[in-house]
Amino acid sequence: MMHSLLQRQIRKLMLSEDAVPVDLASWQAFLSAVDRTYGQFDQDRDLLELSLDLTSREMRQLYDEVERHNEQLETEVAARTAELEVANARDRQRMDELENIVQARTVEIRHAALHDKLTGLPNRSMFYDRLHHVIQRRQRIPDLHFAVLFIDFDRFKAINDSLGHAAGDKLLRTIAQRLHESLRASDTICSSKETGFLAARLGGDEFCILLEDLKDDADAIAVSDRLLEDLSRPYVLDERSVNSSASIGIARSNVGYKSAEDMIRDADIAMYRAKHLGRGRVVVFDQTMHGTVMRKIDIESDIKTAVERGQFYLVFQPIVSLVTGRAVALETLCRWEHPIYGDVSPEEFIPLAEELGIIDSIGNWVLDTAIAQFAEWQRTWCRDRLSFLTVNVSPAQLTGAELATRVAGLVSKHDLDPASLVLEITETTLTRNAEEALAAIQAVRARGVRVFLDDFGSGYSSLGILHEFPLDGIKLDRAFLESASSTRRVAACIHSVVTLTRTLRMALIAEGVESYEQVALLQSLGCDDGQGFLFSRPMRAEDVAAGLESIASESRLLDASSEVGPARPTGGVDLTRQPSSEAGVNRPRPIGISKDRPAIQYKC
Ligand code: C2E
Ligand code: MG
Ligand code: MG
C-alpha cells in the first residue's frame, strides 16, 4: 500500500499510480521526469510572471491614458459649459430685450387698434366700448347724466377736394386739437374730472364726444354751443384762411338707451337734421326724427332702380343774354320724382349716386335724353334761337376718353351738331384728378363739344385753373351775386373775371340772377349772359317753347345804347317786382333797367 503522502505528490505530478517507479532505475527516470516537469513549471511561471508584469504595465498605461482623457474631457466640458453659460446669459438678455420689444409693440398695437392714426384721438371701437360701459353704469345709477355729441364738419369735402388731401388731413388734425381744447375748457360741467369727456374720430370728418357725469342733461347744449363757436374760427391751410362750421347732433341719456349703437345712431340723426336745417347748428334728438332716417334709407335703396323705373325727368333753364334780353341757350337739370317722397333735389341724389357708384347710368340717361330732346327742338323750332344746350357731368363721368366717345356716339345717333352741346363740369372735377380731367376735356373738345366750368368761385380753386385747362367758358357761382350787392370787393372780383374771360376768349354766364339790381350790376360790369329765377325757373320740356317766347317778348324793353352798360331800359315795366317764389314755376320776368332807377355803378 502506497503511503498517502506519496500518493498526493504523485497526483500533483499528474502521474498515474501505475507510473510510480518501483525500482531505482525507474526512480531515476521518474525523478528526472519530475525535474523536467518542475523545470517546465518554472519556465511557465516565469513566463506567466513576465506576462502579468507586462499586462499590469499596459493596464497602468491605459489607466493613465484614460485619466488623461478624462482630464482633457473635463477641461473641455468646463470650457464648453462656460461658453454655454455666456451664450445662455446672452440669450437671456436677448429674450429680455425681445420681451420688452413685444411688450412695447403690444402697447403700440393696442393703442393703434383703439386710436385714430391721423388725429391720435380714440377711434370708433374705443368710443363704443366706453359708451357701452357708461350705459351699463347708468342701469345701476339711474341719476347718471351723460350725452353723445355727433359732430360733422360742414365743408370738409369741398375743402378736401379743392385744396387736396394734405390740407384735408391738416384740417382734421386742427379740428381734433380744437375739440380737445374746447372740451378741456368746458370740463367744469362734469361732476367727475377723471371721467369728464371722450372725444373720438369715427371716420372722415365725423367726430363723436361722450360727455360723462353731467350735472344736468341741458349742459350738453352748452358744451355744443361752445364747440360750434370754437370750430367756426377760420383755419389756416396752405397759407389760406378757410372758413367753415360744424353741425352737432345730441343724444341724451334721459332717453334710457340700452345700447351704444342706438345712442350714436340717434345723435347721428340729430346731426343730419342740424345739417338739413342750415348747418352750423346744434340739434337735440327727439323720436320724430326717425322718419328722416327712414327717408334716407329709402332714397339710398330706391335710387339704384330709379333709371329703369323711369323716375327721372329733365328740366331746362334758359341762359339769357343780358344785352338782348333773349334766351340764348338752355341748361339741362335732372329731377327725380320719388314715388313716396316726391321731388328729390339733385343736390341730394347726385352726390349719393356718385357715392354708390351709379352716377354713370344716371349721367348716360341724362346725356341721351337731353341730346335727343335738343336735336328734336333744333329740327322743329329752335335752330335760330338757341345756340347751345348745356348738360352737367359729374367728376366720376370724366374719366379718360370714355366720355368723349359716348358723347360723340350720342351726338351722331341723334344727329345733333356737336358745336351746340356744352358739358358743364365743376371745379372739384378739375382738382380731384387733374390729369384725368385734362385728358377727358381734351378728348371731348376734340369731338367739337365745348366744356364750361360750372359754379366758378364756389370752391378754393385758383384762377390758374383757367389757363391750365382748355375751357370754353365759365359759369360764375351764384354766391357771387348773393353777396355782390353788399360788397364792392365782390363786384371788383366779377369785373376781373369778366376781363379775364374776355382776354381768354371764354364765355361767361352769371348764375343765380334773381333781381333787377343784379342785372344792372352785371351789365355795368360787362357780363353778357345770365341765368336765374328772375328770367325763368327750370321748366319741363313741354313748357320750354312757351317759356322762351315769354322771355323774348320782353326783350324789346332793352336798348343797346345804354350809358351805363350795354343795355338800358326804355319802357314802363314794373321793375320793382321780385321773381315769383313758387317753386318750379315757369314765369319769365321782364328784363331791363328802369328809367327811374339807373343801373347801379360800382367803382372797381
Ligand atoms: P348747377 O349746375 O349749378 O345748376 C344750377 C342750380 O341753381 C339749379 O339747381 C337751379 O335750379 C338753381 N338756380 C337757377 N337759378 C337760380 C336762382 O336764381 N337762384 C337760386 N337760388 N338757384 C337757382 P338744381 O336744379 O337744384 O341743381 C343743383 C345742382 O345739381 C346743379 O347745380 C348741378 O350741379 C347738379 N345737377 C343737376 N342736374 C344734374 C345732372 O343731370 N347731372 C349732374 N352731374 N349734376 C346735376
Ligand atoms: Mg350746371
Ligand atoms: Mg352752377
Side-chain angles (χ1 to χ4, degrees), residues 481 485 513-524 534 575-578 592-593 597-600 602:
L481 281 188
S485 43
V513 182
E514 293 184 352
S515 70
Y516 299 106
E517 283 80 4
Q518 288 171 342
V519 172
L521 170 68
L522 290 167
Q523 286 175 332
S524 70
L534 179 70
L575 293 166
T576 58
R577 281 187 303 167
Q578 289 299 304
I593 303 169
R597 181 143 42 113
I600 302 159
Y602 283 81

Side-chain angles (χ1 to χ4, degrees), residues 441-491:
I441 295 170
Q442 284 167 337
V444 165
R445 294 182 82 238
R447 307 285 188 143
V449 174
R450 283 175 294 164
V451 179
F452 284 6
L453 182 61
D454 200 3
D455 303 338
F456 180 75
S458 60
Y460 287 91
S461 52
S462 64
L463 288 177
I465 275 192
L466 299 184
H467 69 78
E468 272 172 46
F469 294 90
L471 298 160
D472 299 286
I474 64 176
K475 296 184 78 178
L476 203 58
D477 191 67
R478 70 168 179 267
F480 271 104
L481 281 188
E482 277 165 9
S483 49
S485 43
S486 56
T487 71
R488 286 183 182 187
R489 270 174 180 277
V490 181

Side-chain angles (χ1 to χ4, degrees), residues 360-596:
D360 250 358
S361 67
I362 300 174
N364 289 347
W365 177 86
V366 171
L367 274 168
D368 190 20
T369 317
I371 292 173
Q373 181 66 83
F374 198 59
E376 189 210 312
W377 285 339
Q378 290 252 300
R379 277 192 296 276
T380 49
W381 59 268
C382 80
R383 186 173 298 279
D384 304 325
R385 297 179 50 188
L386 298 175
S387 46
F388 60 91
L389 174 83
T390 76
V391 180
N392 293 285
V393 292
S394 295
Q397 289 173 268
L398 214 69
T399 47
E402 212 177 296
L403 179 71
T405 316
R406 181 166 315 124
V407 170
L410 292 171
V411 161
S412 93
K413 172 178 148 193
H414 298 296
D415 195 22
L416 181 77
D417 176 6
S420 55
L421 181 66
V422 171
L423 301 186
E424 290 190 19
I425 57 169
T426 55
E427 286 181 0
T428 319
T429 317
L430 304 184
T431 46
R432 207 184 274 183
N433 189 347
E435 248 173 61
E436 204 160 34
L438 179 63
I441 295 170
Q442 284 167 337
V444 165
R445 294 182 82 238
R447 307 285 188 143
V449 174
R450 283 175 294 164
V451 179
F452 284 6
L453 182 61
D454 200 3
D455 303 338
F456 180 75
S458 60
Y460 287 91
S461 52
S462 64
L463 288 177
I465 275 192
L466 299 184
H467 69 78
E468 272 172 46
F469 294 90
L471 298 160
D472 299 286
I474 64 176
K475 296 184 78 178
L476 203 58
D477 191 67
R478 70 168 179 267
F480 271 104
L481 281 188
E482 277 165 9
S483 49
S485 43
S486 56
T487 71
R488 286 183 182 187
R489 270 174 180 277
V490 181
C493 285
I494 299 177
H495 182 70
S496 315
V497 177
V498 170
T499 313
L500 200 70
T501 48
R502 280 195 182 157
T503 315
L504 297 173
R505 296 179 184 283
M506 291 163 84
L508 174 63
I509 299 162
E511 296 186 293
V513 182
E514 293 184 352
S515 70
Y516 299 106
E517 283 80 4
Q518 288 171 342
V519 172
L521 170 68
L522 290 167
Q523 286 175 332
S524 70
L525 294 172
C527 175
D528 291 343
D529 294 316
Q531 177 183 351
F533 295 165
L534 179 70
F535 311 118
S536 169
R537 295 227 168 212
M539 303 172 271
R540 281 185 179 260
E542 56 273 25
D543 300 326
V544 169
L548 297 192
E549 204 57 55
S550 170
I551 295 175
S553 69
E554 303 299 339
S555 64
R556 61 187 162 77
L557 299 173
L558 294 174
D559 174 3
S561 62
S562 164
E563 289 159 16
V564 290
R568 196 179 67 168
T570 54
V573 177
D574 178 8
L575 293 166
T576 58
R577 281 187 303 167
Q578 289 299 304
S580 164
S581 57
E582 288 167 62
V585 170
N586 163 28
R587 195 167 296 159
R589 295 293 177 193
I591 177 171
I593 303 169
S594 165
K595 213 181 347 183
D596 315 323

